Amino acid sequence: MSSAEVRRISSGGPYEDVIAYSRAVQLPNGLVLVSGCTAADAGGPYDQTVAAFGVAFKALAQAGLGPEDVVRTRMYLTHARDVDEVGRAHKELFDAVRPAATMLIVSGFVDSSMVVEVEVEAYGAVAG
């Protein structure tokens, strides 16, 4: 696979140029990998989770995919007390999809107002 076959998707986020990453990377086999998404200004853990997945869904839409194409999620939380709220948001978004999912407690994020960060992997049929 050549780098020309790999599509890199930007969201225009402030750290993309500073750290040199893409919001998502679409591979020619139909796999789309979405970088960690956050939403520090969205409120508590439930709202941050919904908003962070919204960022991921926007990136998937640029790749021609949607939430129904998600095959794996990862949720990173700074506090175990937020597991139920983050889990509730995940269930509401993915109840019909049931992706493979992982939830981890971490020591923190680059912005202390963030309580959750999510990653998404999706798979869709390759056109052509």
Side-chain angles (χ1 to χ4, degrees), residues 61-127:
Q62 290 182 41
L65 302 178
E68 67 280 2
D69 299 306
V70 172
V71 295
R72 175 183 291 279
T73 61
R74 291 181 189 89
M75 296 155 281
Y76 303 93
L77 293 67
T78 55
H79 300 286
R81 68 175 180 244
D82 297 332
V83 166
D84 290 341
E85 287 298 294
V86 172
R88 178 170 67 94
H90 190 274
K91 179 176 175 51
E92 288 175 9
L93 295 167
F94 296 106
D95 197 25
V97 179
R98 301 290 174 127
T102 301
M103 190 182 297
L104 301 163
I105 309 303
V106 298
S107 62
F109 301 117
V110 296
D111 180 335
S112 62
S113 65
M114 297 174 188
V115 297
V116 64
E117 182 167 340
V118 303
E119 293 178 348
V120 170
E121 296 176 18
Y123 180 80
V126 179

Side-chain angles (χ1 to χ4, degrees), residues 24-60:
V25 175
Q26 186 173 25
L27 303 175
N29 67 357
L31 185 63
V32 177
L33 309 170
V34 181
S35 296
C37 301
T38 61
D41 58 353
Y46 172 86
D47 294 325
Q48 282 193 26
T49 303
V50 170
F53 276 118
V55 171
F57 293 163
K58 253 182 152 170
L60 288 179

Side-chain angles (χ1 to χ4, degrees), residues 13-21:
Y15 291 107
E16 288 178 23
D17 286 336
V18 173
I19 300 174
Y21 78 94

